[in-house]
Amino acid sequence: MVKEKDELAELPGVGAATAEKLREVGYDNLMSIAVLSPGKLVDAIGSGESTARKIIQAARDKLDMGFETGEDVLKRREKVIKITTGSKAVDELIGGGFETGCISETFGQFGSAKSQIAHVLAVTAQLPLEKGGANGKVVFIDGESTFRPERIIQIAEGMGLDPNKVLKNIKVARAFNSDHQMLLAEKAEEILKKENVKLIIVDSLTAHFRSDFSGRGQLADRQQKLNKHMHTLMKLASSYDVCVYVTNQVMSRPDVFFGDPTAAIGGNIVAHNSQVRIYLRKGKKGTRVAKLVDAPALPDGEAIFNITEKGIEDV
Ligand code: ADP
Ligand code: MG
């Protein structure tokens, strides 16, 4: 972003050349510099340590880091857009829809509707605000080869939208392994800088990590990588006010392990980084049941819905 470029070069002790150097090593905004240790900055730009300290302090001053009033937080909350699922029951369960500015996660067994919800959101995110959409484009990181344009067409037509336009607004990338998936999430920022993306889908968030780090003794590595991946996504969610929707398959009998955070792959890492977690399971007569897990500001509850041609609908 042009504004950020100027901001970096304006820091005392940072000229245009140094700003360029910083960007090359990935420190491309004030926040990334404000949270650096002086040593790291010395390594990055080859300055003396006292200069590095001054630069970091200046970045912190400019950012006005620290506390904000409850009113400020409320104002920020008012900017949040809630993307509809098409099911009133599910929308109500999660406080109005899937929110921008944070990560939401669905987890459940195979066939529980995680990918169906992803496809629905990829369409509804494009609706105008007054129809429960975010009037934005979509980035779909496909980690399980589950993206189906045919399904998008079906849902879009059900909503009276031009399916070709809807498809054009969805940027899909297949992730071939966990490293590739992490890279795609980082690269997504380039799209976000240029286009009005309001939804990022990562379906599945965890499948590649599970298969790439399946050996004994690899758990720590897997969690560390997953943590990094989640942080990338979180940063995108908050910096660009985007809704991030991730899916997470749980294996056998999640009901038995329910409440045990290790039941879902990723465990605590994913749980702590996603603000809304929804457990999905099959209900009676082909229905699906969504249950909110540990939401800070929402009442516990469940919503029952059907997967239909149109997307997902109330029973
Ligand atoms: P997962 O949680 O594994 O991602 P999915 O979201 O792929 O599960 O859900 C798969 C289910 O969605 C299947 O049981 C299938 O019956 C249902 N489904 C998929 N497409 C349609 C459709 N067009 N109409 C009705 N149900 C559908
Ligand atoms: Mg799926």
Side-chain angles (χ1 to χ4, degrees):
M1 264 186 274
V2 177
K3 196 168 150 250
E4 279 175 3
K5 273 188 186 177
D6 295 338
E7 276 174 353
L8 284 197
E10 275 168 17
L11 290 170
V14 180
T18 306
E20 193 53 48
K21 235 190 237 172
L22 283 167
R23 275 191 298 276
E24 267 167 27
V25 285
Y27 305 127
D28 60 356
N29 58 50
L30 288 177
M31 182 58 88
S32 63
I33 291 165
V35 298
L36 278 181
S37 67
K40 274 250 162 82
L41 189 56
V42 167
D43 291 344
I45 60 175
S47 70
E49 182 162 331
S50 74
T51 309
R53 282 186 194 283
K54 267 184 212 149
I55 293 173
I56 291 166
Q57 193 53 51
R60 289 179 180 176
D61 291 345
K62 279 206 172 187
L63 273 174
D64 194 18
M65 278 177 28
F67 292 93
E68 52 184 351
T69 65
E71 201 187 9
D72 291 336
V73 178
L74 181 65
K75 268 193 200 137
R76 224 166 358 91
R77 291 284 310 154
E78 281 165 357
K79 277 201 291 187
V80 166
I81 300 171
K82 298 176 181 187
I83 302 172
T84 184
T85 62
S87 153
K88 257 208 168 115
V90 175
D91 285 357
E92 265 168 31
L93 177 75
I94 58 176
F98 282 90
E99 293 189 356
T100 58
C102 70
I103 301 178
S104 299
E105 173 200 354
T106 54
F107 65 103
Q109 285 190 359
F110 177 77
S112 59
K114 303 180 296 292
S115 297
Q116 288 302 312
I117 292 176
H119 283 72
V120 169
L121 293 175
V123 178
T124 57
Q126 301 186 38
L127 290 169
L129 297 180
E130 63 275 14
K131 289 200 170 156
N135 199 19
K137 297 184 182 182
V138 180
V139 167
F140 198 122
I141 298 175
D142 187 358
E144 267 187 334
S145 305
T146 46
F147 177 74
R148 293 286 175 279
E150 300 83 358
R151 184 63 172 132
I152 296 290
I153 292 173
Q154 202 178 33
I155 297 167
E157 281 174 345
M159 293 182 183
L161 300 170
D162 176 349
N164 291 322
K165 266 193 196 158
V166 170
L167 281 174
K168 269 198 191 114
N169 286 333
I170 306 173
K171 298 244 185 313
V172 188
R174 255 189 80 185
F176 295 107
N177 56 46
S178 54
D179 278 329
H180 186 216
Q181 185 169 316
M182 291 169 76
L183 186 66
L184 287 172
E186 285 162 27
K187 289 275 172 196
E189 181 158 20
E190 286 164 24
I191 305 174
L192 269 57
K193 279 181 181 171
K194 281 185 262 170
E195 303 194 45
N196 181 38
V197 173
K198 279 292 156 201
L199 172 67
I200 298 172
I201 291 163
V202 187
D203 181 23
S204 145
L205 174 78
T206 44
H208 279 312
F209 290 86
R210 182 194 293 140
S211 59
D212 293 352
F213 300 91
S214 57
R216 268 171 175 268
Q218 286 190 297
L219 185 70
D221 280 349
R222 182 177 80 193
Q223 296 307 80
Q224 196 197 356
K225 290 249 179 168
L226 203 45
N227 198 19
K228 184 162 181 255
H229 189 38
M230 287 297 276
H231 273 106
T232 304
L233 294 169
M234 247 185 1
K235 208 176 136 214
L236 294 178
S238 62
S239 312
Y240 295 88
D241 200 23
V242 170
C243 169
V244 177
Y245 172 83
V246 305
T247 69
N248 192 356
Q249 188 179 336
V250 289
M251 306 306 267
S252 56
R253 309 282 317 265
D255 50 326
V256 172
F257 298 106
F258 198 70
D260 173 0
T262 57
I265 294 285
N268 281 321
I269 300 291
V270 179
H272 288 163
N273 286 312
S274 49
Q275 273 101 334
V276 180
R277 297 188 83 207
I278 301 160
Y279 172 57
L280 297 172
R281 66 172 197 272
K282 291 182 181 174
K284 287 178 189 153
K285 295 181 189 160
T287 59
R288 297 293 187 279
V289 183
K291 183 187 166 81
L292 210 54
V293 183
D294 302 332
L298 293 165
D300 287 345
E302 291 191 341
I304 304 172
F305 63 93
N306 277 318
I307 307 169
T308 69
E309 203 165 290
K310 285 185 168 175
I312 73 163
E313 291 184 289
D314 285 338
V315 172

